[in-house]
Amino acid sequence: MSNDVAVVVEQLEGTLAEVSFEMLAKGRELATASGGRLVAVLAGHEVRPLAAELGAADAVAVIEHEALAHYTPEASERAVAEALRALEPRVALVASTSMGLDQAGGLSVALGWPLCAYCTDVRLDEGRLVAVSRIYGGKLVAEAQVDGDRAICAMLPGVAAAAAGRVSGSPALQEIAAPALDSLRVRFRRLIQPESGDVDITRESILVSVGRGIQSQDNIPVVEALAQALGGALSASRPIVDQGWLPKTRQVGKSGMSVKPKLYVAVGISGAPEHIEGMRGAELIVAINTDPNAPIFGVAHFGVVSDLFDVLPLLTEKVKSRA
Ligand SMILES: Cc1cc2nc3c(=O)[nH]c(=O)nc-3n(C[C@H](O)[C@H](O)[C@H](O)COP(=O)(O)OP(=O)(O)OC[C@H]3O[C@@H](n4cnc5c(N)ncnc54)[C@H](O)[C@@H]3O)c2cc1C
């Protein structure tokens, strides 16, 4: 067993996922505590050049195979398991994303290492691994001490700063021979890209989000006007999207996007756990709601208990007059 910390890096069609840099930042903290190396595990086909973007790691364990040219959970899981078996790290971090969760359970079974899912924090406490998980859509926070020498932790996106893990460099390459990747039961057919053309709310620094308190699609421009005055974008809670009032690309939350803007204004949104899961990482949260007991006020830094139709036009005018 080593004291190394492994980070399973996500790449799709040769592009590294933003969340992998977050995992590297978190991995560095753990590696400092464990006294081991930080090793990025990179599986794919002709992906070695990506190692130059993984300078936050001390080494990159590269596992290459034609069958890994396009992502399939089965091939990727087998390859990553092979790399982790060779590395024997103290802890392996995967991102709690659709790709990471695809594989985390299978890796745990293949390696016989326990899996801690939905982690918001992982730390070493006098050599023991402690994982903090946000479960049941954020209703419960569980802190667990992990028995055994090794573990896999699936970290929620947004719990570490990607900037700290985005370092160019030339980490040592450690080649890992791919396992047999024939007789795969899952075959790649084609990649269907999400519809483009709309704003990417995950990249916006200011979001004004509209909820069911808006009452009708015809009222949405009231909220959009504030978003425009602030130079931000309009996002929404799920019911707004389910009604077809805004496209799915604007939905914040568990079954939508996770966002981390500098400013998040929640307008007429109650703050259900499924919504909060997607926006609690915002730097500054302002909530406007008529109900003083609305759960959104539990995460908001500033709250306005008032009718949105009274507040928003005034706020928009105020912002415009200062522009
Ligand atoms: C598996 C699953 C996944 C889900 N995924 C998501 C998700 O990704 N994103 C998401 O948002 N939800 C999601 N949900 C739904 C979630 O549980 C809530 O139903 C939803 O977030 C509620 O949306 P809301 O706050 O807009 O509406 P409501 O809960 O109806 O809240 C409306 C709020 O508006 C306030 N209000 C009313 N009138 C005014 C006014 N004039 N001025 C000011 N305030 C007013 C009310 O006081 C109330 O607090 C999911 C649910 C499940 C089960």
Side-chain angles (χ1 to χ4, degrees), residues 210-215 236-240 242 248 251-257 264 266-278 288-296 304-310:
V210 55
R212 195 147 44 189
I214 197 67
Q215 296 165 15
S237 66
R238 180 167 159 173
I240 300 299
D242 284 351
K248 178 80 180 165
Q251 185 186 320
V252 173
K254 187 186 187 77
S255 49
M257 305 286 177
Y264 187 86
V267 182
I269 292 178
S270 60
E274 295 84 1
H275 185 81
I276 288 176
E277 195 173 322
I288 300 167
N289 198 305
T290 42
D291 176 5
N293 297 316
I296 192 74
V304 183
V305 180
S306 184
D307 191 315
L308 73 92
F309 295 105
D310 294 336

Side-chain angles (χ1 to χ4, degrees), residues 58-107:
D58 299 307
V60 178
V62 183
I63 190 154
E64 293 251 14
H65 194 285
E66 273 183 3
L68 301 168
H70 303 286
Y71 174 76
T72 62
E74 191 187 15
S76 183
E77 184 191 307
R78 280 200 215 171
V80 171
E82 188 73 9
L84 293 179
R85 224 174 261 121
L87 295 169
E88 293 199 321
R90 176 73 182 85
V91 58
L93 300 182
V94 300
S96 190
T97 54
S98 45
M99 213 187 257
L101 286 180
D102 248 3
Q103 304 176 61
L107 287 173

Side-chain angles (χ1 to χ4, degrees), residues 3-321:
N3 282 328
D4 292 348
V5 173
V7 167
V8 179
V9 163
E10 286 186 15
Q11 61 86 19
L12 189 65
E13 308 289 310
T15 302
L16 291 168
E18 177 82 359
V19 73
S20 295
F21 299 111
E22 294 181 22
M23 298 300 114
L24 286 169
K26 185 67 203 168
R28 173 53 67 199
E29 266 177 53
L30 282 166
T32 303
S34 72
R37 297 177 308 162
L38 174 60
V39 184
V41 176
L42 177 63
H45 181 50
E46 298 176 348
V47 287
R48 278 185 199 85
L50 294 178
E53 295 177 53
L54 301 171
D58 299 307
V60 178
V62 183
I63 190 154
E64 293 251 14
H65 194 285
E66 273 183 3
L68 301 168
H70 303 286
Y71 174 76
T72 62
E74 191 187 15
S76 183
E77 184 191 307
R78 280 200 215 171
V80 171
E82 188 73 9
L84 293 179
R85 224 174 261 121
L87 295 169
E88 293 199 321
R90 176 73 182 85
V91 58
L93 300 182
V94 300
S96 190
T97 54
S98 45
M99 213 187 257
L101 286 180
D102 248 3
Q103 304 176 61
L107 287 173
S108 169
V109 171
L111 297 164
W113 304 354
L115 167 66
C116 304
Y118 307 112
C119 295
T120 55
D121 193 21
V122 177
R123 60 178 193 273
L124 282 162
D125 220 346
E126 295 178 355
R128 287 164 186 259
L129 191 71
V130 175
V132 181
S133 300
R134 196 188 295 149
I135 53 179
Y136 297 115
K139 289 193 182 88
L140 274 183
V141 175
E143 183 166 310
Q145 186 178 295
V146 187
D147 289 336
D149 297 331
R150 292 181 282 264
I152 298 169
C153 293
M155 304 280 311
L156 288 170
V159 296
R166 193 182 292 103
V167 181
S168 307
S170 42
L173 287 188
Q174 185 172 345
E175 303 283 343
I176 310 265
L181 290 175
D182 45 15
S183 68
L184 294 167
R185 289 158 299 178
V186 179
R187 276 180 298 121
F188 174 84
R189 295 286 295 275
R190 69 191 170 106
L191 179 71
I192 303 168
Q193 296 280 11
E195 281 173 36
S196 58
D198 197 17
V199 291
D200 180 353
I201 59 170
T202 64
R203 293 183 181 272
E204 294 289 328
S205 59
I206 297 178
L207 286 175
V208 180
S209 220
V210 55
R212 195 147 44 189
I214 197 67
Q215 296 165 15
S216 138
Q217 184 173 22
D218 296 341
N219 294 330
I220 287 183
V222 176
V223 187
E224 196 165 21
L226 178 62
Q228 274 173 5
L230 288 167
L234 184 67
S235 52
S237 66
R238 180 167 159 173
I240 300 299
V241 172
D242 284 351
Q243 307 232 42
W245 296 353
L246 284 174
K248 178 80 180 165
T249 42
R250 302 290 179 121
Q251 185 186 320
V252 173
K254 187 186 187 77
S255 49
M257 305 286 177
S258 279
V259 297
K260 270 194 301 177
K262 287 191 189 314
L263 171 64
Y264 187 86
V265 186
V267 182
I269 292 178
S270 60
E274 295 84 1
H275 185 81
I276 288 176
E277 195 173 322
M279 46 64 78
R280 68 185 327 144
E283 277 178 38
L284 184 69
I285 300 169
V286 178
I288 300 167
N289 198 305
T290 42
D291 176 5
N293 297 316
I296 192 74
F297 290 127
V299 292
H301 302 95
F302 293 97
V304 183
V305 180
S306 184
D307 191 315
L308 73 92
F309 295 105
D310 294 336
V311 176
L312 254 63
L314 294 174
L315 196 54
T316 304
E317 277 316 306
K318 195 87 181 163
V319 173
K320 277 185 182 168
S321 69

